[in-house]
Amino acid sequence: MDRRSKAPTKEARFKAILDAATEVLVEKPTASMNEIAEYAGVGVATLHRYVENREKLMVYLGYRAIQAVSETIEGIPLNEENDENYISKLVEALIQWILNVLYSLLFLTWQQVQEGHIAKNSAASLVLSTFYHGFRAK
């Protein structure tokens, strides 16, 4: 059997694992690798063949999000005469992503407050700072 014939299957499985990881992490940002594997319908050993650890998984998901946002932005024509229309289309195209990011920030910050790692009175400013810096162009 030719090695190249296996490549699309491996790539498709990796994509499916990343899709599942995205879904489960949106619902439960603290999900373990075991929970992610279970949600993806693979064994944890299989998950680790594709992704060494949770940190690498997060890097893959980050790159994937950047790629998705970049493709979305490139697909919206910029008309400098009508900036409001561009911003409106951009927000409309990215609303689900923006909501997922904000939800995750809120959940993780709340969790850190509950565990005593973040002071309650600084939680809101931390969420806003993280949210805005994530969208700020450099």
Side-chain angles (χ1 to χ4, degrees), residues 14 18 21 25 29-33 36 47-48 50-63:
F14 183 56
L18 293 179
L25 289 168
T30 60
S32 68
M33 291 294 276
I36 293 167
L47 176 60
H48 282 289
Y50 287 90
V51 182
E52 292 175 28
N53 54 44
R54 185 178 169 83
E55 290 75 27
K56 292 265 185 175
L57 174 64
M58 300 311 280
V59 169
Y60 284 126
L61 293 176
Y63 283 134

Side-chain angles (χ1 to χ4, degrees), residues 73-87:
I73 290 171
E74 290 171 7
I76 300 172
L78 176 59
N79 179 351
E80 292 180 18
E81 294 175 11
N82 192 356
D83 289 344
E84 289 180 23
N85 190 36
Y86 175 79
I87 297 295

Side-chain angles (χ1 to χ4, degrees), residues 13-120:
R13 180 174 271 187
F14 183 56
K15 182 185 178 309
I17 287 171
L18 293 179
D19 288 344
T22 300
E23 289 176 28
V24 75
L25 289 168
V26 165
E27 293 298 317
K28 184 180 180 189
T30 60
S32 68
M33 291 294 276
N34 286 341
E35 291 170 309
I36 293 167
E38 184 178 325
Y39 191 86
V42 299
V44 73
T46 299
L47 176 60
H48 282 289
R49 278 196 288 277
Y50 287 90
V51 182
E52 292 175 28
N53 54 44
R54 185 178 169 83
E55 290 75 27
K56 292 265 185 175
L57 174 64
M58 300 311 280
V59 169
Y60 284 126
L61 293 176
Y63 283 134
R64 195 169 193 226
I66 291 167
Q67 181 181 10
V69 170
S70 294
E71 288 171 3
T72 300
I73 290 171
E74 290 171 7
I76 300 172
L78 176 59
N79 179 351
E80 292 180 18
E81 294 175 11
N82 192 356
D83 289 344
E84 289 180 23
N85 190 36
Y86 175 79
I87 297 295
S88 174
K89 287 182 179 181
L90 184 62
V91 170
E92 195 174 298
L94 296 175
I95 192 70
Q96 189 59 49
W97 184 80
I98 293 168
L99 289 173
N100 288 341
V101 169
L102 186 55
Y103 172 76
S104 295
L105 281 171
L106 289 168
F107 178 83
L108 290 172
T109 303
W110 171 82
Q111 183 180 40
Q112 292 298 306
V113 168
Q114 294 299 311
E115 293 176 5
H117 301 295
I118 296 174
K120 188 176 182 179

